[in-house]
């Protein structure tokens, strides 16, 4: 890990498109994941190459800054009628199998660049009709439909070392608590049905989907089974509240963190200029 402390990973959301923290003119403009999904629809092999190459290029940028964890890829599967402001072009597309395949290659590109990926947003944010930054989305689809669609990419990539759980209510499993604060969703769906045993982060607890103080939000996510709770506002008073209410990591969480850290490896040799030129060529050739 970076910053000279292996117990202190540095995270970022560098997805590409509208969720890009490192922007031009200092850093390259990054394609939205949907553009890569569109390329996959034209030529699957080229789309898979682009997914890995884009992730590898992002990892090279992050490595220079000492950032060793990128919260990508988005594995959500948008459906007609969902809110484009929530997921939209942040997703590779609406085909669960294509999302799984592209997500896998994006993870591989991260690993090759010495950065850990964080698959998100368990158990699937693609049906959200409201933005969880402002309010709590409710997914009321039946489980059999979710298993055929939304759940598919998360099951396929359940062997990844890190994942993030969303602030949304999954009524088919728990109609009272957001997934990030639901022991039923985390235990029975994420850990159970998906078989995910990686390090599980909450989404940012400062989002409007949750209620209560920052400390209470943190405590509820950890009590439900998240290994790590994310508080991203930088509000110092809230940080103190979170620290006062967050217990030490459990032995299980520490073991998952150790496995995630062990999955991090030194970047392989890489020609960034050639890689960027190749990615541009792929996207241009596809018409995406």
């Amino acid at each position: 890990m970076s910053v000279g402390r292996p117990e202190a990973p540095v995270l970022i959301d560098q997805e590409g498109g509208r969720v890009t923290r490192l922007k031009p003119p200092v850093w390259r403009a990054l394609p939205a994941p949907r553009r890569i999904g569109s390329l996959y629809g034209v030529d699957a092999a080229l789309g898979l190459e682009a997914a890995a190459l884009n992730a590898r290029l992002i990892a090279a940028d992050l490595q220079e800054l000492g950032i060793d964890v990128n919260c990508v890829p988005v594995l959500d599967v948008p459906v007609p009628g969902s809110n484009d402001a929530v997921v939209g072009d942040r997703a590779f597309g609406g085909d669960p199998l294509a999302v799984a395949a592209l997500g896998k290659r994006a993870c591989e590109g991260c690993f090759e660049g010495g950065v850990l990926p964080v698959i998100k947003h368990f158990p699937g944010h693609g049906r959200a009709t409201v933005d969880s930054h402002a309010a709590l989305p409710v997914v009321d689809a039946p489980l059999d439909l979710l298993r055929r669609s939304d759940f598919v990419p998360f099951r396929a990539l359940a062997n990844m070392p890190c994942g993030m759980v969303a602030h949304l209510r999954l009524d088919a499993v728990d109609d009272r608590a957001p997934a990030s604060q639901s022991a039923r969703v985390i235990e029975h769906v994420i850990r159970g049905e998906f078989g995910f045993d990686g390090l599980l982060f909450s989404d940012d607890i400062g989002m409007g989907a949750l209620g209560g103080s920052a400390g209470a939000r943190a405590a509820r996510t950890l009590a439900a089974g998240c290994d790590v709770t994310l508080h991203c506002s930088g509000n110092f008073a809230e940080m103190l509240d979170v620290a006062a209410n967050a217990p030490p990591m459990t032995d299980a969480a520490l073991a998952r963190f150790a496995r995630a850290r062990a999955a991090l490896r030194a970047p392989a040799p890489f020609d960034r200029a050639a890689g960027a030129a190749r990615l541009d060529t792929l996207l241009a050739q596809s018409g995406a």
Side-chain angles (χ1 to χ4, degrees):
M1 296 291 187
S2 63
V3 301
R5 292 174 61 90
E7 67 275 20
V10 180
L11 285 73
I12 194 171
D13 285 314
Q14 188 75 348
E15 299 176 7
R18 57 194 166 94
V19 181
T20 301
R21 311 305 184 201
L22 307 175
K23 302 176 185 293
V26 178
W27 292 277
R28 293 178 311 107
L30 302 173
R34 181 62 58 84
R35 289 192 66 197
I36 294 172
S38 297
L39 173 59
Y40 181 90
V42 174
D43 187 309
L46 295 184
L48 293 172
E49 181 185 353
L53 186 53
N54 185 56
R56 181 65 181 85
L57 285 163
I58 293 172
D61 292 339
L62 302 185
Q63 270 282 317
E64 286 189 343
L65 301 174
I67 299 171
D68 50 13
V69 181
N70 194 10
C71 296
V72 298
V74 171
L75 298 183
D76 304 318
V77 182
V79 300
S82 62
N83 188 333
D84 278 348
V86 181
V87 176
D89 65 358
R90 297 172 65 194
F92 289 114
D95 178 346
L97 294 177
V99 171
L102 290 165
K104 180 180 179 183
R105 291 296 287 132
C107 287
E108 291 168 354
C110 290
F111 287 125
E112 290 167 6
V115 169
L116 281 179
V118 179
I119 61 174
K120 63 185 187 184
H121 307 81
F122 282 117
H125 220 312
R127 294 179 187 274
T129 57
V130 299
D131 187 347
S132 53
H133 290 87
L136 178 65
V138 175
V139 174
D140 59 5
L143 268 178
D144 60 343
L145 176 58
L146 296 171
R147 286 169 174 147
R148 295 195 306 270
S149 178
D150 307 49
F151 290 178
V152 170
F154 295 99
R155 284 199 306 265
L157 275 71
N159 63 335
M160 289 297 130
C162 303
M164 180 184 293
V165 59
H167 306 314
L168 59 81
R169 207 176 73 201
L170 192 67
D171 279 3
V173 180
D174 186 343
D175 62 3
R176 302 184 67 180
S180 57
Q181 298 180 344
S182 170
R184 293 178 65 183
V185 172
I186 292 174
E187 179 181 353
H188 296 295
V189 178
I190 298 174
R191 299 295 191 196
E193 182 163 337
F194 297 163
F196 177 74
D197 195 30
L199 190 69
L200 186 64
F201 296 88
S202 75
D203 208 340
D204 177 15
I205 60 171
M207 294 163 66
L210 303 183
S213 67
R217 296 177 185 206
R220 285 195 289 266
T221 59
L222 296 169
C226 291
D227 297 311
V228 180
T229 192
L230 294 183
H231 174 263
C232 305
S233 71
N235 181 300
F236 192 67
E238 290 185 355
M239 293 166 69
L240 292 174
D241 191 21
V242 169
N245 285 277
M249 291 179 73
T250 65
D251 289 344
L254 288 170
R256 293 182 186 114
F257 176 75
R259 290 198 298 271
R261 184 171 61 184
L264 193 61
R265 56 182 185 262
F270 181 62
D271 185 331
R272 292 167 68 177
R278 173 61 177 167
L279 180 62
D280 289 343
T281 299
L282 290 173
L283 295 175
Q285 286 179 340
S286 73

